[in-house]
Amino acid sequence: MNSEIVIKESINELSEYIGQLVISELSCKSKLNIALSGGSTPLSMFVYLSENFSSKIDWEKINFFWVDERCVPPDDDQSNYKLANDFLFKKVNVPRENIFRIFGENEPYYEAERYSNIIKDNVSYNVDSFSFDIVFLGLGEDGHTASIFPEQISILKSEEICEVAEHPISMQKRITLTGKLINNSRTILFLVTGVSKQKVVSDILSKTGDYSKYPASYINPNIGKLIWLMDKPASAGLDGFNLIQA
Ligand code: 6PG
């Protein structure tokens, strides 16, 4: 597996790294298909990119998709689309036609099918599935990623593009990309910050504890590259790794 661990002092330095990576990717492709995650971590990245890369990145050359979405309307504060729209898309020049949001307001099983077709129509095929250029992933303390929770780890191996998932505590329905699709991406970026993620990061990367129950442990790109982007608190449990320090 082609992977690396990049550790920076802060989310801003991680976001700078991400901005430069996007510029580098755009230098060799006319269009990028990027899939975003939700949760709280991406907010600071969106703010940094909107403040520091609004003119450095040719946003018109990027199509935005989502790794997962909560089954809520787009104006709901829990919406992953709303997070990106409020803190990035409203601040930089992303054409509306480049934004392919998951319709959280739709009936979930219908939307999983609809969004799968959107991906089929707009994302290139490579090897054995459709292939995003960049996929951003977060990491839950329970080892979930996207909306693939330990209780539904079978979604990793689904032959589908999207599946309907359910949050194990809130029972909230989610639409999520499957592990098969995520692992077929060219570049997968885990963006993980904060001391609360230290144990789960260490277990996954060291293959200790309950790592085998964690869906994030099975994110291994078939053909692409996996980059763990972390701050020092999240990565403090890693020793003996080939760490690319700030
Ligand atoms: C979501 C995300 C989810 C998230 C992790 C980490 O829709 O919630 O896609 O996978 O990335 O739960 O969330 P935090 O960034 O809030 O820790």
Side-chain angles (χ1 to χ4, degrees):
M1 177 173 61
N2 179 1
S3 67
E4 65 185 73
I5 297 172
V6 175
I7 297 169
K8 299 289 185 184
E9 286 291 340
S10 68
I11 184 68
N12 284 353
E13 288 187 30
L14 291 166
S15 303
E16 177 67 26
Y17 179 97
I18 290 165
Q20 296 300 337
L21 183 146
V22 171
I23 290 171
S24 170
E25 290 291 314
L26 280 171
S27 66
C28 47
K29 279 204 79 173
S30 59
K31 196 90 171 190
L32 286 183
N33 289 319
I34 295 180
L36 300 172
S37 269
S40 57
T41 303
L43 190 157
S44 302
M45 174 186 74
F46 292 151
V47 170
Y48 185 88
L49 291 177
S50 69
E51 291 174 350
N52 297 278
F53 283 83
S54 59
S55 56
K56 292 179 187 172
I57 287 176
D58 189 350
W59 298 95
E60 295 180 4
K61 292 172 67 179
I62 303 176
N63 288 328
F64 285 98
F65 301 79
W66 274 263
V67 166
D68 65 340
E69 183 57 280
R70 293 84 180 276
C71 291
V72 296
D75 59 355
D76 187 303
D77 284 340
Q78 294 184 76
S79 164
N80 292 340
Y81 159 78
K82 185 175 186 295
L83 183 77
N85 193 44
D86 289 352
F87 294 98
L88 181 62
F89 299 154
K90 285 180 177 175
K91 312 282 175 67
V92 299
N93 182 34
V94 178
R96 301 314 289 183
E97 63 268 23
N98 289 26
I99 299 170
F100 299 85
R101 76 175 179 90
I102 298 172
F103 293 169
E105 65 274 29
N106 277 353
E107 190 282 324
Y109 292 90
Y110 168 82
E111 182 56 22
E113 182 72 25
R114 186 198 74 85
Y115 202 65
S116 296
N117 289 328
I118 291 291
I119 290 171
K120 288 176 187 172
D121 293 345
N122 293 278
V123 176
S124 57
Y125 195 91
N126 193 10
V127 182
D128 65 353
S129 187
F130 295 88
S131 181
F132 284 103
D133 296 299
I134 299 174
V135 165
F136 284 93
L137 293 178
L139 177 65
E141 292 176 45
D142 63 352
H144 83 260
T145 192
S147 282
I148 308 174
F149 297 95
E151 294 79 359
Q152 290 180 303
I153 201 163
S154 59
I155 292 177
L156 281 169
K157 298 287 188 194
S158 166
E159 289 297 317
E160 302 299 327
I161 293 171
C162 294
E163 290 275 12
V164 176
E166 193 170 81
H167 190 283
I169 298 171
S170 68
M171 312 309 276
Q172 181 187 63
K173 287 280 192 293
R174 307 270 187 99
I175 308 296
T176 188
L177 297 186
T178 59
K180 178 179 179 184
L181 200 86
I182 292 170
N183 281 331
N184 206 48
S185 308
R186 282 198 313 113
T187 301
I188 301 173
L189 301 175
F190 263 115
L191 181 60
V192 187
T193 61
V195 68
S196 67
K197 306 292 175 71
Q198 187 180 119
K199 174 83 170 60
V200 65
V201 163
S202 176
D203 281 346
I204 290 170
L205 291 177
S206 309
K207 295 190 183 334
T208 53
D210 287 333
Y211 82 95
S212 62
K213 298 175 184 168
Y214 300 154
S217 296
Y218 301 91
I219 298 301
N220 301 311
N222 314 326
I223 50 174
K225 181 166 64 174
L226 171 61
I227 305 176
W228 285 85
L229 293 169
M230 296 181 278
D231 65 5
K232 295 199 169 173
S235 58
L238 301 176
D239 49 24
F241 277 79
N242 173 23
L243 306 179
I244 301 174
Q245 296 284 2

